[in-house]
Amino acid sequence: LWESQMASLLSQALRKIYLGHKQLLTNRVIETRLKTRLEVPMLELMKKEELRMRTRDFDVLFSYFYGRIEIVEELWEMMKRQGKEPNLYIRRSLIHQFGKAGRMKEVENIVDRMKQLNINPDVRTFSVLIDCYGKAKNFDEVSRLRNEMAQLNITPNI
């Protein structure tokens, strides 16, 4: 009963925010709701209502749900449906999480999209990529990434 009442209150609050402002959720609302451990009802409402969010809002959610790949994947799909381009921090987080889960196809898709947008990985992103490919035992790709770093005059931080 308590959970259904809280879910109902959460639903009402998010609808007021969404309908009242007809714009984006704020980080404070997201963080407050997550801290009260009502993440599942909140995510369901977000999917049902297709609430528009800022890249920063997605950033908060990706950080909160780090390692929970099913939820991360849902958020990633929602972000793409909303036409949002992730910032470099979100891309790096997604690369790390998908790589850690052994889902190298998703990692490659993110890297390919970065190339399409002429976004060069920074030293941290290269480090995450090298770690992912190393754990996947794809040493040819690790070597290619190290060569690419050298061409871009990026010094490894490890």
Side-chain angles (χ1 to χ4, degrees):
L1 180 63
W2 179 84
E3 285 183 2
S4 75
Q5 288 174 334
M6 291 305 292
S8 175
L9 288 172
L10 173 63
S11 175
Q12 290 171 14
L14 289 175
R15 279 198 187 100
K16 280 183 185 177
I17 290 166
Y18 179 65
L19 297 174
H21 298 289
K22 291 186 180 173
Q23 59 184 358
L24 310 166
L25 288 174
T26 64
N27 294 341
R28 178 180 283 162
V29 170
I30 292 171
E31 290 168 342
T32 300
R33 297 300 176 241
L34 292 175
K35 286 178 183 170
T36 60
R37 306 298 292 161
L38 294 172
E39 57 210 33
V40 173
M42 186 179 123
L43 287 172
E44 291 304 314
L45 179 67
M46 287 168 58
K47 287 191 288 190
K48 182 178 160 190
E49 300 284 338
E50 273 300 317
L51 298 176
R52 307 271 319 148
M53 296 190 299
R54 299 172 296 183
T55 300
R56 174 67 182 129
D57 299 324
F58 280 107
D59 187 8
V60 169
L61 291 169
F62 284 124
S63 294
Y64 182 82
F65 290 111
Y66 187 86
R68 295 171 64 186
I69 199 67
E70 311 83 31
I71 295 174
V72 167
E73 189 169 33
E74 284 184 45
L75 290 169
W76 177 229
E77 290 303 318
M78 187 185 301
M79 189 175 192
K80 288 192 282 190
R81 281 194 308 274
Q82 291 187 13
K84 302 287 186 210
E85 280 293 337
N87 58 32
L88 187 58
Y89 178 81
I90 291 174
R91 289 177 201 279
R92 185 172 39 244
S93 175
L94 288 168
I95 288 167
H96 190 257
Q97 292 188 63
F98 284 129
K100 188 175 179 181
R103 298 182 48 189
M104 299 310 291
K105 183 65 177 161
E106 283 89 345
V107 169
E108 291 168 11
N109 289 340
I110 294 167
V111 172
D112 288 345
R113 180 67 180 152
M114 289 173 69
K115 289 177 183 174
Q116 289 173 357
L117 297 171
N118 292 320
I119 299 172
N120 287 323
D122 62 0
V123 66
R124 290 182 184 146
T125 307
F126 272 114
S127 295
V128 169
L129 284 166
I130 288 169
D131 182 57
C132 291
Y133 283 107
K135 287 180 180 170
K137 300 192 185 326
N138 185 341
F139 302 114
D140 290 338
E141 188 63 16
V142 169
S143 180
R144 189 197 67 74
L145 287 166
R146 287 188 176 177
N147 290 337
E148 186 177 342
M149 286 179 77
Q151 290 172 353
L152 294 170
N153 290 325
I154 296 176
T155 306
N157 65 352
I158 49 174

